Amino acid sequence: MKTIDELLAEGVKGKRVFVRADLNVPLAEGTITDDGRIRAVQPTIAKLAEAGARVVVASHLGRPKGAPEPAFSLAPAAARLGELLGADVAFATDTVGSSAKETVAALTDGQVAVIENLRFNAGETSKDDAERGAFADALAELADIYVGDGFGAVHRKHASVFDLPARLPHAAGQLIATEVGVLKKLTDEVKRPYVVVLGGAKVSDKLAVIDQLLGKADRILIGGGMAYTFLYAKGHEVGISLLQKDQVDKVKEYMARAESTGVELVLPVDILASSDFPDLKTKAPAEYITVDADKIPADKEGLDIGPKTRELYASKIADAATVFWNGPLGVFEHPDYAGGTRAIAQALVDSDAFTVVGGGDSAAAVRTLGFDENAFGHISTGGGASLEYLEGKTLPGLAALEG
């Protein structure tokens, strides 16, 4: 896989360099609420611009259905990128149409442009190779060189991620190189004890990574909505908590494997439970009780790990040499149920381990709760991509850059 430093050494002055970034940032009424992904790709874009490249930045945002939807426009992301670069960033109002062609043609050495949301074109995500390839052909006309730096999308077989690199000389950007280097420390070069913290809503989203980690991790700490399927599998009442009954047999199998292989699989010992899901818009005070994890009332739902579990999990992290965390431990968007997620983040900060926050909601939680990003070893920009890498899957975007 060619690096951006190798590309820069060859010279990019005057060349159109297509950067597949991940500018998929959360928006609230057109305002960016977390610019972490833009800040993560900014160094690659800045390096190329400083070297005299004519930089064409592309990304998706949200899940539009193959046609323009104003709510998913990349215009706010382009404006924020300009602020971070300290330079004007041109914006094309389409992907491969007249605006994109004119905007790119008008670039001079060192200038940057962002084209509109790639998913406004059905070819970006099409499962039909020909349709996807046709869109990749059109994108290739905008550039001389391809740089892949959208780590959050490398697990997708999309036109701009998988097909376009085959049509242009290509290299990996600084962010992707960093992300892959970190993931190797979680797979091939692990320092022990190795502790994994898994949260989030659905256990089905994490089964494949648990399957892999049972042969690698020393301890796996379970929280979030997925914990209730584990508790149910142990025979405990979980009330109206999130439960995937179709996964119970698989969870039982994994618990048995953990015991037989000496992996410590740790479940919550107490829970914050309520009859009502909290109002995440007004964030009005919630009414809840703290109960033992095996005594959740039939009419209540678990919404966060309790204080005893927070202490237990912090103690399991304290002596770790490596920690990977993916998924919040409760409904962190509401202040009354953010305590578990906050406790895990603080435990990572307090440890001497190499700590990795695995993107997605975990990264959003770290920022929302006010933690200094520099206090962690690495905050990934791609939760899904990180998990699929740890599952041992081939990621299309990385395979394309290696080709």
Side-chain angles (χ1 to χ4, degrees), residues 15-324:
K15 295 183 179 179
R16 300 169 302 162
V17 180
F18 187 104
V19 178
R20 202 328 179 163
D22 180 8
L23 308 180
N24 185 26
V25 292
L27 296 171
E29 298 178 356
T31 300
I32 296 170
T33 57
D34 181 358
D35 68 354
R37 283 176 168 161
I38 304 175
R39 287 186 286 109
V41 76
Q42 184 266 345
T44 289
I45 296 168
K47 274 188 173 184
L48 290 165
E50 288 165 7
R54 303 178 183 192
V55 187
V56 182
V57 182
S59 176
H60 71 285
L61 191 152
R63 295 180 181 273
K65 305 299 182 182
E69 294 183 43
F72 295 118
S73 174
L74 277 174
R80 180 58 182 145
L81 177 60
E83 292 172 357
L84 293 169
L85 291 170
D88 290 336
V89 169
F91 182 67
T93 56
D94 57 27
T95 56
V96 292
S98 58
S99 179
K101 292 174 183 176
E102 291 166 9
T103 301
V104 173
L107 290 175
T108 59
D109 295 359
Q111 287 190 324
V112 179
V114 174
I115 63 174
E116 187 54 284
N117 192 332
L118 292 164
R119 292 187 184 176
F120 285 1
N121 189 304
E124 170 67 0
T125 59
S126 176
K127 289 182 169 53
D128 180 81
D129 291 349
E131 184 180 13
R132 219 176 48 246
F135 184 48
D137 287 339
L139 290 171
E141 293 180 7
L142 300 175
D144 305 304
I145 299 169
Y146 177 93
V147 171
D149 214 28
F151 180 74
V154 293
H155 59 313
R156 305 295 187 192
K157 192 177 180 180
H158 291 170
S160 66
V161 176
F162 178 74
D163 301 273
L164 184 54
R167 289 156 168 79
L168 295 169
H170 50 266
Q174 187 169 310
L175 174 61
I176 279 188
T178 298
E179 293 272 13
V180 171
V182 166
L183 288 168
K184 285 183 177 178
K185 291 183 179 180
L186 300 177
T187 52
D188 305 330
E189 307 157 9
V190 184
K191 293 183 178 179
R192 300 183 179 280
Y194 178 20
V195 178
V196 175
V197 185
L198 295 176
K202 295 181 178 180
V203 68
S204 55
D205 292 341
K206 305 285 170 44
L207 285 177
V209 76
I210 293 172
D211 183 47
Q212 288 293 315
L213 290 169
L214 283 173
K216 294 183 174 73
D218 297 298
R219 297 176 200 137
I220 302 176
L221 317 181
I222 302 292
M226 63 183 287
Y228 305 104
T229 301
F230 279 86
L231 292 170
Y232 185 87
K234 289 194 72 173
H236 300 327
E237 169 66 59
V238 297
I240 56 172
S241 304
L242 186 62
L243 173 63
Q244 290 185 280
K245 285 190 176 180
D246 61 328
Q247 303 297 335
V248 169
D249 287 344
K250 181 62 70 174
V251 165
K252 286 181 177 178
E253 176 194 325
Y254 285 174
M255 289 193 294
R257 271 179 56 195
E259 186 172 359
S260 66
T261 57
V263 176
E264 192 178 357
L265 186 64
V266 190
L267 301 180
V269 294
D270 62 344
I271 296 291
L272 303 189
S274 175
S275 300
D276 300 303
F277 196 83
D279 188 324
L280 300 182
K281 287 189 175 180
T282 66
K283 300 189 179 177
E287 293 186 7
Y288 61 85
I289 58 173
T290 303
V291 297
D292 290 343
D294 60 352
K295 294 182 175 63
I296 300 174
D299 65 341
K300 296 196 185 300
E301 168 180 23
L303 295 168
D304 195 11
I305 57 172
K308 292 179 183 176
T309 305
R310 296 170 197 175
E311 290 183 13
L312 171 65
Y313 284 13
S315 72
K316 298 293 184 182
I317 291 168
D319 68 342
T322 304
V323 183
F324 173 71

Side-chain angles (χ1 to χ4, degrees), residues 347-384:
L348 265 66
V349 170
D350 292 342
S351 83
D352 293 325
F354 174 63
T355 56
V356 179
V357 180
D361 287 341
S362 315
V366 163
R367 299 184 183 107
T368 299
L369 297 175
F371 285 89
D372 179 358
E373 294 179 41
N374 295 321
F376 302 89
H378 180 70
I379 298 179
S380 179
T381 57

